[in-house]
Amino acid sequence: MSTTPRLAAPVSKGDRIGIVTVSAPEAADLPDVFSRGVQALTGLGFEVVVGAHATGRSGYRAGTTDELLDDFHQMIADPSIAAVLCAGGGRNSNRLLSGLDLALIAANPKLIVGVSDPSLLLNSITSRTGLVTLHGPSVMWDLAAPDAPCETAEHFTAMLAGQSAAARIGASLTWTRPGSAEGPLVAGCLSSLRCLLGTTWEPRWDGAILAVEDAFKPTDVLDQTFTHLRDVGVLDKIAGLIIGESVGCEATAGITVTAMVDELCREYAWPLAHGLPYGHTPRKYTLPIGATLRMDSAAEHPLTLISPWVTA
């Protein structure tokens, strides 16, 4: 497990971005949506290269494990590809973990972007290689959305380019425990990150700022997952916690996700904030996993990246 951040080169307009699917055959199910997302990415100024199996189907996945890994590794190995972007989500990207060529990824550092289920892939790559990855938009569910907030693409492209202004995240947060902390960022879908517990790909929790979010699950289901993180000691190790905006997460017996998290975390001293728009939200910030984030309830910008996420 690497402890030294590894940085990819920034990505600018005119660069080539490779699109892969690492789980569900969403592009095969909704080809018009996928095409619209590709057009949107092209409209942002990038040249798009679609992986051989990105629009395929093999049961409930876009391809076999070997096929999806081959697509991913080809994009990593191709020196003309500046970044790799996941088409969508799913539930089974952890099927790829045991086949990842970590030496290839480390030798060819480039920005890898995903959201939802692929967030476990991002955190695994960061924990094993040190490469800073981006928790950002997907082709299908963000870039393809006809009413997508412009801020989503703006922050995404600014993060790709390494623009300094993108380091200041001015989100309006609700602090249930004010304070400040800084540490390497671990960020992703709560249900997906849970799949990494006890595996060789588990993130480094010590001193981390943990940002989690989820979608379309009631409070009691998220309680089970969050309690699991607590019981294996994750919450004992982190330096701060950020809860993202919930999407479709209904209260159970009148108890909201916010109330559940606050109750489970009342014994800890680290700062706790709610309401960061990222992950499944239409308007989202792109977050660099592995970069150092400072959270400060008293600051003008409550979240600030204080380490680079791409090379100078």
Side-chain angles (χ1 to χ4, degrees):
M1 182 178 292
S2 176
T3 58
T4 303
R6 188 185 304 270
L7 304 181
V11 180
S12 303
K13 291 183 178 181
D15 286 340
R16 304 179 88 206
I17 293 181
I19 299 177
V20 297
T21 299
V22 295
S23 188
E26 294 169 332
D29 290 337
L30 299 165
D32 290 345
V33 174
F34 178 75
S35 178
R36 193 163 63 240
V38 170
Q39 291 172 12
L41 193 57
T42 302
L44 292 174
F46 303 106
E47 182 182 346
V48 176
V49 180
V50 179
H53 301 92
T55 59
R57 178 190 299 281
S58 178
Y60 49 81
R61 295 191 294 157
T64 66
T65 298
D66 287 344
E67 288 171 341
L68 300 185
L69 278 169
D70 189 55
D71 280 4
F72 183 75
H73 289 146
Q74 284 191 38
M75 294 295 184
I76 295 295
D78 186 342
S80 75
I81 301 295
V84 182
L85 176 59
C86 294
R91 293 187 179 90
N92 307 108
S93 63
N94 57 339
R95 289 283 291 271
L96 306 189
L97 293 177
S98 61
L100 283 176
D101 189 336
L102 297 172
L104 177 72
I105 295 168
N108 297 274
K110 55 188 64 177
L111 289 173
I112 304 168
V113 189
V115 67
S116 191
D117 178 60
S119 68
L120 67 83
L121 201 64
L122 304 179
N123 282 278
S124 301
I125 289 170
T126 298
S127 71
R128 293 298 300 276
T129 69
L131 177 65
V132 173
T133 56
L134 295 183
H135 191 288
S138 69
V139 175
M140 296 199 58
W141 307 120
D142 296 297
L143 299 178
D147 56 350
C150 60
E151 295 92 343
T152 294
E154 288 171 355
H155 194 251
F156 170 55
T157 54
M159 288 296 297
L160 286 178
Q163 296 176 9
S164 59
R168 299 183 294 275
I169 299 176
S172 179
L173 302 177
T174 299
W175 295 78
T176 51
R177 187 158 51 241
S180 63
E182 62 184 56
L185 179 64
V186 175
C189 176
L190 178 62
S191 302
S192 299
L193 290 179
R194 185 185 189 182
C195 298
L196 301 178
L197 296 176
T199 72
T200 187
W201 303 284
E202 186 170 353
R204 286 180 56 87
W205 306 110
D206 294 330
I209 302 297
L210 174 60
V212 292
E213 56 83 41
D214 218 313
F216 309 112
K217 298 178 182 68
T219 299
D220 60 328
V221 171
L222 295 178
D223 185 324
Q224 181 191 57
T225 305
F226 211 87
T227 299
H228 188 184
L229 262 67
R230 183 198 66 181
D231 290 348
V232 297
V234 170
L235 302 186
D236 294 320
K237 299 175 182 178
I238 63 174
L241 178 63
I242 303 165
I243 305 297
E245 287 183 7
S246 297
V247 175
C249 294
E250 297 181 356
T252 302
I255 299 173
T256 65
V257 173
T258 298
M260 175 272 290
V261 171
D262 287 349
E263 182 196 4
L264 277 172
C265 297
R266 61 188 176 189
E267 63 185 89
Y268 302 98
W270 30 253
L272 170 57
H274 294 264
L276 177 63
Y278 87 105
H280 288 87
T281 57
R283 172 179 170 266
K284 62 166 55 65
Y285 288 97
T286 296
L287 305 179
I289 298 167
T292 301
L293 179 73
R294 178 171 180 80
M295 56 186 301
D296 187 346
S297 59
E300 178 184 0
H301 298 96
L303 303 179
T304 305
L305 295 163
I306 58 173
S307 73
W309 59 93
V310 293
T311 58

